[in-house]
Coordinates of all heavy atoms in Angstrom, one line a residue:
M1 N -137.8 159.4 -132.7 CA -137.8 159.9 -134.1 C -139.0 159.5 -134.9 O -139.4 160.2 -135.7 CB -136.5 159.3 -134.7 CG -136.2 159.9 -136.0 SD -135.8 161.7 -135.8 CE -135.3 162.1 -137.4
R2 N -139.6 158.3 -134.5 CA -140.7 157.9 -135.2 C -141.9 158.7 -135.0 O -142.8 158.8 -135.8 CB -141.0 156.4 -134.8 CG -142.0 155.7 -135.7 CD -142.0 154.3 -135.3 NE -142.0 153.5 -136.5 CZ -142.2 152.3 -136.6 NH1 -142.4 151.6 -135.5 NH2 -142.2 151.7 -137.8
K3 N -142.0 159.4 -133.9 CA -143.1 160.3 -133.5 C -143.1 161.6 -134.4 O -144.1 162.2 -134.5 CB -143.1 160.6 -132.1 CG -143.4 159.5 -131.2 CD -143.5 159.9 -129.7 CE -143.8 158.7 -128.9 NZ -144.0 159.1 -127.5
L4 N -142.0 161.9 -135.0 CA -141.9 163.1 -135.7 C -142.1 162.9 -137.2 O -142.0 163.8 -138.0 CB -140.5 163.8 -135.5 CG -140.3 164.4 -134.1 CD1 -138.9 164.9 -134.0 CD2 -141.3 165.4 -133.8
F5 N -142.4 161.7 -137.6 CA -142.6 161.4 -139.0 C -144.0 160.9 -139.3 O -144.5 160.0 -138.5 CB -141.6 160.4 -139.6 CG -141.8 160.0 -141.0 CD1 -141.4 160.9 -142.0 CD2 -142.4 158.9 -141.4 CE1 -141.6 160.7 -143.3 CE2 -142.7 158.6 -142.7 CZ -142.3 159.5 -143.7
S6 N -144.6 161.4 -140.3 CA -145.9 160.9 -140.7 C -146.0 161.0 -142.2 O -145.7 162.1 -142.8 CB -147.1 161.7 -140.1 OG -148.3 161.4 -140.7
G7 N -146.4 160.0 -142.9 CA -146.5 160.0 -144.4 C -147.6 161.0 -144.8 O -147.4 161.7 -145.8
I8 N -148.7 161.0 -144.1 CA -149.7 161.9 -144.5 C -149.3 163.4 -144.3 O -149.5 164.2 -145.2 CB -151.0 161.7 -143.6 CG1 -151.5 160.2 -143.9 CG2 -152.1 162.7 -143.8 CD1 -152.6 159.8 -142.9
A9 N -148.6 163.7 -143.2 CA -148.1 165.0 -143.0 C -147.1 165.4 -144.0 O -147.1 166.6 -144.5 CB -147.5 165.2 -141.6
L10 N -146.2 164.5 -144.4 CA -145.2 164.8 -145.4 C -145.8 165.0 -146.8 O -145.4 165.9 -147.5 CB -144.2 163.6 -145.4 CG -143.0 163.8 -146.3 CD1 -142.2 165.0 -145.8 CD2 -142.1 162.6 -146.4
T11 N -146.8 164.2 -147.1 CA -147.5 164.4 -148.4 C -148.2 165.8 -148.4 O -148.2 166.5 -149.4 CB -148.5 163.3 -148.6 OG1 -147.8 162.0 -148.6 CG2 -149.2 163.4 -149.9
A12 N -148.9 166.1 -147.3 CA -149.6 167.4 -147.3 C -148.7 168.6 -147.3 O -148.9 169.6 -148.0 CB -150.5 167.5 -146.0
T13 N -147.5 168.4 -146.7 CA -146.5 169.5 -146.7 C -145.9 169.6 -148.0 O -145.6 170.8 -148.5 CB -145.5 169.2 -145.6 OG1 -146.2 169.1 -144.3 CG2 -144.5 170.4 -145.5
A14 N -145.6 168.5 -148.7 CA -145.0 168.6 -150.0 C -146.0 169.3 -151.0 O -145.6 170.1 -151.8 CB -144.7 167.2 -150.5
A15 N -147.3 168.9 -150.9 CA -148.3 169.6 -151.8 C -148.3 171.1 -151.5 O -148.5 171.9 -152.4 CB -149.6 168.9 -151.6
Y16 N -148.3 171.4 -150.2 CA -148.3 172.8 -149.8 C -147.0 173.6 -150.3 O -147.1 174.7 -150.8 CB -148.3 172.9 -148.2 CG -148.3 174.3 -147.7 CD1 -149.5 175.1 -147.8 CD2 -147.2 174.9 -147.2 CE1 -149.5 176.4 -147.3 CE2 -147.2 176.2 -146.7 CZ -148.3 177.0 -146.8 OH -148.3 178.2 -146.3
A17 N -145.9 172.9 -150.2 CA -144.6 173.6 -150.7 C -144.7 173.8 -152.2 O -144.3 174.8 -152.7 CB -143.4 172.7 -150.4
V18 N -145.3 172.8 -153.0 CA -145.4 173.0 -154.4 C -146.4 174.1 -154.7 O -146.1 174.9 -155.6 CB -145.9 171.7 -155.1 CG1 -146.3 171.9 -156.5 CG2 -144.8 170.6 -155.0
A19 N -147.4 174.2 -154.0 CA -148.4 175.3 -154.2 C -147.8 176.6 -153.9 O -148.0 177.6 -154.6 CB -149.6 175.1 -153.3
I20 N -147.0 176.7 -152.8 CA -146.3 178.0 -152.5 C -145.3 178.4 -153.5 O -145.2 179.5 -153.9 CB -145.6 177.9 -151.1 CG1 -146.7 177.8 -150.0 CG2 -144.6 179.0 -150.8 CD1 -147.5 179.0 -149.8
F21 N -144.6 177.4 -154.1 CA -143.6 177.7 -155.1 C -144.4 178.2 -156.4 O -143.9 179.2 -157.0 CB -142.8 176.4 -155.5 CG -141.9 176.6 -156.6 CD1 -140.7 177.3 -156.4 CD2 -142.2 176.1 -157.9 CE1 -139.8 177.5 -157.5 CE2 -141.3 176.3 -158.9 CZ -140.1 177.0 -158.7
A22 N -145.5 177.6 -156.7 CA -146.3 178.1 -157.8 C -146.8 179.5 -157.6 O -146.8 180.3 -158.5 CB -147.4 177.1 -158.1
F23 N -147.2 179.8 -156.4 CA -147.7 181.1 -156.0 C -146.6 182.2 -156.1 O -146.8 183.3 -156.5 CB -148.4 181.1 -154.7 CG -149.7 180.4 -154.6 CD1 -150.1 179.8 -153.4 CD2 -150.5 180.4 -155.7 CE1 -151.3 179.1 -153.3 CE2 -151.7 179.7 -155.6 CZ -152.1 179.1 -154.4
V24 N -145.4 181.8 -155.7 CA -144.3 182.7 -155.8 C -143.9 183.0 -157.2 O -143.7 184.2 -157.6 CB -143.0 182.2 -155.0 CG1 -141.8 182.9 -155.3 CG2 -143.3 182.2 -153.5
V25 N -143.9 182.0 -158.1 CA -143.6 182.2 -159.5 C -144.7 183.1 -160.1 O -144.4 184.1 -160.9 CB -143.5 180.9 -160.2 CG1 -143.5 181.1 -161.7 CG2 -142.3 180.1 -159.8
V26 N -146.0 182.8 -159.8 CA -147.1 183.6 -160.4 C -147.0 185.1 -159.8 O -147.2 186.0 -160.6 CB -148.4 183.0 -160.1 CG1 -149.6 183.9 -160.4 CG2 -148.6 181.7 -160.8
A27 N -146.7 185.2 -158.6 CA -146.6 186.6 -158.0 C -145.5 187.4 -158.6 O -145.6 188.6 -158.8 CB -146.4 186.5 -156.5
R28 N -144.4 186.7 -158.9 CA -143.2 187.4 -159.5 C -143.5 187.8 -161.0 O -143.0 188.8 -161.4 CB -142.0 186.5 -159.5 CG -141.5 186.3 -158.1 CD -140.7 187.4 -157.6 NE -140.2 187.1 -156.3 CZ -139.7 188.0 -155.5 NH1 -139.6 189.2 -155.8 NH2 -139.3 187.6 -154.3
H29 N -144.3 187.0 -161.7 CA -144.4 187.3 -163.2 C -145.7 187.9 -163.6 O -145.8 188.6 -164.6 CB -144.3 185.9 -163.9 CG -142.9 185.4 -163.9 ND1 -141.8 186.0 -164.4 CD2 -142.4 184.3 -163.2 CE1 -140.7 185.3 -164.2 NE2 -141.1 184.2 -163.5
V30 N -146.8 187.8 -162.8 CA -148.1 188.3 -163.2 C -148.5 189.6 -162.4 O -149.0 190.5 -163.0 CB -149.1 187.2 -163.0 CG1 -150.5 187.7 -163.3 CG2 -148.8 186.0 -163.8
A31 N -148.2 189.6 -161.1 CA -148.7 190.7 -160.3 C -147.9 192.0 -160.6 O -146.7 192.0 -160.9 CB -148.6 190.4 -158.9
D32 N -148.5 193.1 -160.4 CA -147.8 194.4 -160.5 C -147.0 194.6 -159.2 O -147.1 193.8 -158.3 CB -148.8 195.5 -160.7 CG -149.9 195.6 -159.6 OD1 -150.0 194.7 -158.8 OD2 -150.6 196.6 -159.6
L33 N -146.3 195.7 -159.1 CA -145.4 195.9 -158.0 C -146.2 196.1 -156.6 O -145.8 195.6 -155.6 CB -144.6 197.2 -158.2 CG -143.5 197.1 -159.2 CD1 -142.8 198.4 -159.5 CD2 -142.5 196.0 -158.8
E34 N -147.4 196.7 -156.7 CA -148.1 196.9 -155.5 C -148.8 195.6 -155.1 O -148.8 195.2 -153.9 CB -149.2 197.9 -155.7 CG -148.6 199.3 -155.8 CD -149.7 200.3 -156.2 OE1 -150.9 200.0 -156.4 OE2 -149.4 201.5 -156.2
G35 N -149.3 194.8 -156.0 CA -149.9 193.5 -155.7 C -148.9 192.5 -155.3 O -149.2 191.6 -154.5
R36 N -147.7 192.6 -155.8 CA -146.7 191.6 -155.4 C -146.4 191.6 -153.9 O -146.1 190.6 -153.3 CB -145.4 191.9 -156.2 CG -144.4 190.8 -156.0 CD -143.1 191.1 -156.9 NE -143.5 191.2 -158.3 CZ -142.7 191.8 -159.1 NH1 -141.5 192.3 -158.8 NH2 -143.0 191.9 -160.4
A37 N -146.4 192.8 -153.3 CA -146.1 192.9 -151.9 C -147.2 192.1 -151.1 O -146.8 191.4 -150.1 CB -146.0 194.3 -151.5
Y38 N -148.4 192.3 -151.4 CA -149.5 191.6 -150.7 C -149.4 190.1 -151.0 O -149.7 189.3 -150.1 CB -150.8 192.2 -151.1 CG -151.0 193.6 -150.6 CD1 -151.1 194.6 -151.5 CD2 -151.1 193.9 -149.3 CE1 -151.2 195.9 -151.1 CE2 -151.3 195.1 -148.8 CZ -151.3 196.2 -149.7 OH -151.5 197.5 -149.3
D39 N -149.1 189.7 -152.2 CA -149.0 188.3 -152.5 C -147.9 187.6 -151.6 O -148.0 186.6 -151.0 CB -148.7 188.0 -153.9 CG -149.8 188.3 -154.8 OD1 -151.0 188.4 -154.3 OD2 -149.6 188.6 -156.0
L40 N -146.7 188.3 -151.6 CA -145.6 187.7 -150.8 C -145.9 187.7 -149.3 O -145.5 186.8 -148.6 CB -144.3 188.5 -151.1 CG -143.8 188.3 -152.6 CD1 -142.6 189.2 -152.8 CD2 -143.6 186.9 -152.9
L41 N -146.6 188.7 -148.8 CA -147.0 188.8 -147.4 C -147.9 187.6 -147.1 O -147.8 186.9 -146.1 CB -147.7 190.1 -147.1 CG -148.2 190.2 -145.7 CD1 -147.1 190.2 -144.7 CD2 -149.1 191.5 -145.5
L42 N -148.8 187.3 -148.0 CA -149.8 186.2 -147.8 C -149.0 184.8 -147.8 O -149.3 184.0 -147.0 CB -150.9 186.2 -148.9 CG -151.9 185.1 -148.7 CD1 -152.7 185.3 -147.5 CD2 -152.8 185.1 -149.9
I43 N -148.1 184.7 -148.7 CA -147.4 183.4 -148.9 C -146.4 183.2 -147.7 O -146.3 182.1 -147.2 CB -146.6 183.4 -150.2 CG1 -147.5 183.4 -151.4 CG2 -145.6 182.2 -150.3 CD1 -146.9 183.6 -152.7
G44 N -145.8 184.2 -147.2 CA -144.8 184.1 -146.1 C -145.5 184.3 -144.7 O -144.8 184.3 -143.7
F45 N -146.7 184.5 -144.6 CA -147.4 184.8 -143.4 C -147.4 183.6 -142.5 O -147.6 182.5 -143.0 CB -148.9 185.2 -143.6 CG -149.6 185.7 -142.4 CD1 -149.4 186.9 -142.0 CD2 -150.5 184.8 -141.8 CE1 -150.1 187.4 -140.8 CE2 -151.1 185.2 -140.6 CZ -150.9 186.5 -140.2
P46 N -147.2 183.6 -141.2 CA -147.0 184.7 -140.3 C -145.5 185.1 -140.1 O -145.2 186.0 -139.4 CB -147.6 184.3 -139.0 CG -147.3 182.8 -139.0 CD -147.4 182.4 -140.5
W47 N -144.6 184.3 -140.6 CA -143.2 184.4 -140.3 C -142.6 185.7 -140.9 O -141.7 186.3 -140.3 CB -142.4 183.2 -140.8 CG -142.7 182.0 -140.0 CD1 -143.5 181.0 -140.3 CD2 -142.3 181.7 -138.6 NE1 -143.6 180.1 -139.3 CE2 -142.9 180.5 -138.3 CE3 -141.5 182.4 -137.7 CZ2 -142.7 179.9 -137.0 CZ3 -141.3 181.8 -136.5 CH2 -141.9 180.6 -136.1
I48 N -143.1 186.2 -142.0 CA -142.5 187.4 -142.6 C -142.9 188.6 -141.7 O -142.1 189.5 -141.6 CB -143.1 187.6 -144.0 CG1 -142.2 188.7 -144.7 CG2 -144.5 188.0 -144.0 CD1 -140.8 188.2 -145.0
L49 N -144.0 188.5 -140.9 CA -144.3 189.6 -140.0 C -143.3 189.5 -138.8 O -143.0 190.5 -138.2 CB -145.7 189.4 -139.5 CG -146.8 189.7 -140.6 CD1 -148.2 189.4 -140.0 CD2 -146.7 191.0 -141.2
A50 N -142.9 188.3 -138.4 CA -142.0 188.2 -137.3 C -140.6 188.7 -137.6 O -140.0 189.3 -136.7 CB -141.9 186.7 -136.8
F51 N -140.1 188.5 -138.8 CA -138.8 189.0 -139.2 C -138.7 190.4 -139.6 O -137.8 191.1 -139.3 CB -138.2 188.1 -140.3 CG -138.0 186.7 -140.0 CD1 -138.3 185.7 -140.8 CD2 -137.4 186.4 -138.8 CE1 -138.0 184.4 -140.5 CE2 -137.1 185.1 -138.4 CZ -137.4 184.1 -139.3
R52 N -139.8 190.9 -140.3 CA -139.9 192.3 -140.7 C -138.6 192.8 -141.5 O -138.1 193.9 -141.4 CB -140.1 193.3 -139.5 CG -141.4 193.0 -138.8 CD -141.5 194.0 -137.7 NE -142.7 193.7 -136.9 CZ -143.8 194.4 -137.0 NH1 -143.9 195.5 -137.7 NH2 -144.8 194.0 -136.2
H53 N -138.1 191.9 -142.3 CA -137.0 192.2 -143.2 C -137.1 191.4 -144.5 O -137.3 190.2 -144.5 CB -135.7 191.8 -142.4 CG -134.5 192.5 -143.0 ND1 -133.8 192.1 -144.1 CD2 -133.8 193.6 -142.5 CE1 -132.8 192.9 -144.3 NE2 -132.8 193.8 -143.4
D54 N -136.9 192.1 -145.6 CA -137.1 191.4 -146.9 C -136.1 190.4 -147.2 O -136.3 189.5 -148.0 CB -137.2 192.5 -148.0 CG -138.4 193.3 -147.9 OD1 -139.4 192.9 -147.3 OD2 -138.4 194.5 -148.4
D55 N -134.9 190.6 -146.7 CA -133.8 189.6 -147.0 C -134.0 188.2 -146.4 O -133.5 187.2 -146.9 CB -132.4 190.1 -146.6 CG -132.0 191.4 -147.4 OD1 -132.5 191.6 -148.5 OD2 -131.2 192.2 -146.9
L56 N -134.8 188.2 -145.4 CA -135.1 186.9 -144.7 C -136.4 186.2 -145.2 O -136.9 185.3 -144.6 CB -135.2 187.1 -143.2 CG -133.9 187.6 -142.5 CD1 -134.2 188.0 -141.1 CD2 -132.8 186.6 -142.7
Y57 N -136.9 186.7 -146.4 CA -138.1 186.1 -146.9 C -138.0 184.6 -147.2 O -138.9 183.9 -146.9 CB -138.6 186.9 -148.1 CG -139.9 186.4 -148.6 CD1 -141.1 186.7 -148.0 CD2 -140.0 185.5 -149.7 CE1 -142.3 186.2 -148.4 CE2 -141.2 185.1 -150.2 CZ -142.3 185.4 -149.5 OH -143.5 184.9 -149.9
P58 N -136.9 184.1 -147.8 CA -136.8 182.6 -148.0 C -136.9 181.8 -146.7 O -137.5 180.8 -146.7 CB -135.5 182.4 -148.7 CG -135.3 183.8 -149.4 CD -135.8 184.8 -148.5
L59 N -136.3 182.4 -145.7 CA -136.3 181.7 -144.4 C -137.8 181.7 -143.8 O -138.2 180.7 -143.3 CB -135.4 182.4 -143.4 CG -135.4 181.8 -142.0 CD1 -134.9 180.4 -142.0 CD2 -134.5 182.7 -141.1
A60 N -138.5 182.8 -144.1 CA -139.9 182.9 -143.6 C -140.7 181.8 -144.3 O -141.6 181.2 -143.7 CB -140.4 184.3 -143.8
V61 N -140.5 181.7 -145.6 CA -141.3 180.6 -146.4 C -140.9 179.2 -145.9 O -141.8 178.4 -145.7 CB -141.1 180.8 -147.9 CG1 -141.7 179.7 -148.6 CG2 -141.6 182.1 -148.4
A62 N -139.6 179.0 -145.6 CA -139.2 177.7 -145.1 C -139.8 177.4 -143.8 O -140.3 176.3 -143.5 CB -137.7 177.6 -145.1
L63 N -139.9 178.4 -142.9 CA -140.5 178.2 -141.6 C -142.0 178.0 -141.7 O -142.6 177.3 -140.9 CB -140.1 179.4 -140.7 CG -138.7 179.4 -140.1 CD1 -138.5 180.7 -139.4 CD2 -138.5 178.2 -139.2
N64 N -142.6 178.7 -142.7 CA -144.0 178.5 -142.9 C -144.3 177.1 -143.3 O -145.3 176.5 -142.9 CB -144.5 179.5 -144.0 CG -146.0 179.6 -144.0 OD1 -146.7 179.2 -143.1 ND2 -146.5 180.2 -145.1
V65 N -143.5 176.5 -144.2 CA -143.7 175.1 -144.6 C -143.5 174.2 -143.4 O -144.2 173.2 -143.2 CB -142.7 174.8 -145.8 CG1 -142.7 173.3 -146.1 CG2 -143.1 175.6 -147.0
A66 N -142.5 174.4 -142.6 CA -142.2 173.6 -141.4 C -143.4 173.7 -140.4 O -143.8 172.7 -139.8 CB -140.9 174.0 -140.7
T67 N -144.0 174.9 -140.3 CA -145.2 175.1 -139.4 C -146.3 174.3 -140.0 O -147.1 173.6 -139.2 CB -145.5 176.6 -139.4 OG1 -144.4 177.3 -138.9 CG2 -146.7 176.8 -138.4
V68 N -146.5 174.2 -141.3 CA -147.6 173.4 -141.8 C -147.4 172.0 -141.6 O -148.3 171.2 -141.2 CB -147.7 173.7 -143.4 CG1 -148.6 172.7 -144.0 CG2 -148.3 175.1 -143.6
Y69 N -146.1 171.5 -141.7 CA -145.8 170.1 -141.4 C -146.2 169.8 -139.9 O -146.8 168.8 -139.7 CB -144.3 169.8 -141.6 CG -144.0 168.4 -141.3 CD1 -144.3 167.3 -142.2 CD2 -143.4 168.0 -140.1 CE1 -144.0 166.0 -141.9 CE2 -143.1 166.7 -139.8 CZ -143.4 165.7 -140.7 OH -143.1 164.4 -140.4
L70 N -145.7 170.6 -139.0 CA -146.0 170.3 -137.6 C -147.5 170.4 -137.3 O -148.0 169.6 -136.5 CB -145.3 171.3 -136.7 CG -143.8 171.1 -136.7 CD1 -143.1 172.2 -135.9 CD2 -143.4 169.7 -136.2
L71 N -148.2 171.3 -137.9 CA -149.7 171.4 -137.8 C -150.4 170.1 -138.3 O -151.2 169.5 -137.6 CB -150.2 172.6 -138.5 CG -151.7 172.8 -138.4 CD1 -152.2 173.1 -137.0 CD2 -152.2 173.9 -139.4
V72 N -150.0 169.7 -139.5 CA -150.7 168.5 -140.0 C -150.3 167.3 -139.2 O -151.1 166.4 -138.9 CB -150.3 168.3 -141.5 CG1 -150.8 167.0 -142.0 CG2 -150.9 169.5 -142.3
L73 N -149.0 167.2 -138.8 CA -148.6 166.1 -137.9 C -149.4 166.0 -136.6 O -149.8 165.0 -136.2 CB -147.1 166.2 -137.6 CG -146.5 165.1 -136.8 CD1 -146.5 163.8 -137.5 CD2 -145.1 165.5 -136.3
S74 N -149.6 167.2 -136.0 CA -150.4 167.2 -134.8 C -151.8 166.8 -135.0 O -152.4 166.1 -134.2 CB -150.3 168.6 -134.1 OG -150.9 169.5 -134.9
I75 N -152.4 167.2 -136.1 CA -153.8 166.8 -136.4 C -153.8 165.3 -136.7 O -154.7 164.6 -136.2 CB -154.3 167.6 -137.6 CG1 -154.5 169.0 -137.3 CG2 -155.6 167.0 -138.2 CD1 -154.8 169.9 -138.4
V76 N -152.9 164.7 -137.4 CA -152.8 163.3 -137.7 C -152.7 162.5 -136.4 O -153.4 161.5 -136.1 CB -151.7 163.0 -138.6 CG1 -151.4 161.5 -138.7 CG2 -152.0 163.5 -140.0
R77 N -151.8 163.0 -135.5 CA -151.6 162.3 -134.2 C -152.8 162.4 -133.3 O -153.2 161.5 -132.6 CB -150.4 162.9 -133.5 CG -149.1 162.7 -134.2 CD -148.7 161.2 -134.2 NE -147.4 161.1 -134.8 CZ -147.1 160.1 -135.6 NH1 -148.0 159.1 -135.8 NH2 -145.9 160.0 -136.2
A78 N -153.5 163.5 -133.4 CA -154.7 163.7 -132.5 C -155.8 162.8 -133.0 O -156.5 162.1 -132.1 CB -155.2 165.2 -132.6
F79 N -156.0 162.6 -134.3 CA -157.1 161.7 -134.7 C -156.7 160.3 -134.6 O -157.5 159.4 -134.5 CB -157.5 162.1 -136.2 CG -158.3 163.3 -136.3 CD1 -157.9 164.4 -136.9 CD2 -159.6 163.3 -135.7 CE1 -158.6 165.6 -137.0 CE2 -160.4 164.5 -135.8 CZ -159.9 165.6 -136.4
A80 N -155.4 160.0 -134.7 CA -155.0 158.6 -134.5 C -155.2 158.1 -133.1 O -155.5 157.0 -132.8 CB -153.5 158.5 -134.9
R81 N -155.0 159.0 -132.1 CA -155.3 158.7 -130.7 C -156.7 158.4 -130.4 O -157.1 157.6 -129.7 CB -154.7 159.7 -129.8 CG -153.3 159.8 -129.7 CD -152.8 160.8 -128.7 NE -151.4 160.9 -128.8 CZ -150.8 162.1 -128.7 NH1 -151.5 163.2 -128.5 NH2 -149.5 162.2 -128.8
N82 N -157.6 159.2 -131.1 CA -159.0 159.1 -130.9 C -159.6 157.9 -131.5 O -160.7 157.4 -131.1 CB -159.8 160.3 -131.4 CG -159.5 161.5 -130.5 OD1 -159.1 161.4 -129.4 ND2 -159.7 162.7 -131.1
S83 N -159.0 157.3 -132.5 CA -159.5 156.2 -133.2 C -159.2 154.9 -132.5 O -159.7 153.8 -132.8 CB -159.0 156.1 -134.7 OG -157.6 155.9 -134.6
R84 N -158.3 154.9 -131.6 CA -157.9 153.6 -130.9 C -158.8 153.3 -129.8 O -159.5 153.7 -129.1 CB -156.4 153.8 -130.3 CG -155.4 153.8 -131.4 CD -154.1 153.8 -130.8 NE -153.1 154.0 -131.9 CZ -151.9 154.3 -131.7 NH1 -151.4 154.3 -130.5 NH2 -151.1 154.4 -132.8

């Protein structure tokens, strides 16, 4: 279980999740209807393309955040091994 936790990865993922939340709020309130589709596609990418269904968009964003966590965790682990 210890191998799946990293403070750096958790901090980076939390910052990413806050940024995504801010982008969703801005996309809902500022963008026009045509621009909103592209904003939401960018925020949910690549999982929204895998689901191809608008009702599953919150799941796509959650999986996107989880993917970022795993990516940052793997980068942290890779550089930790090289420094030893």
Side-chain angles (χ1 to χ4, degrees):
M1 187 71 173
R2 194 169 223 190
K3 291 183 179 184
L4 293 177
F5 179 76
S6 170
I8 296 170
L10 187 62
T11 303
T13 304
Y16 179 77
V18 168
I20 289 297
F21 178 75
F23 289 149
V24 167
V25 169
V26 168
R28 294 280 182 192
H29 293 292
V30 175
D32 58 348
L33 289 175
E34 293 173 354
R36 188 179 302 163
Y38 291 111
D39 290 341
L40 295 179
L41 177 66
L42 181 66
I43 292 169
F45 187 79
W47 291 104
I48 197 68
L49 295 176
F51 292 137
R52 295 179 187 253
H53 200 278
D54 291 337
D55 294 337
L56 297 175
Y57 184 75
L59 179 63
V61 172
L63 286 174
N64 195 15
V65 170
T67 303
V68 167
Y69 178 79
L70 291 175
L71 177 68
V72 174
L73 180 67
S74 65
I75 291 171
V76 167
R77 296 290 180 217
F79 284 114
R81 287 188 190 137
N82 289 339
S83 65
R84 291 182 187 172

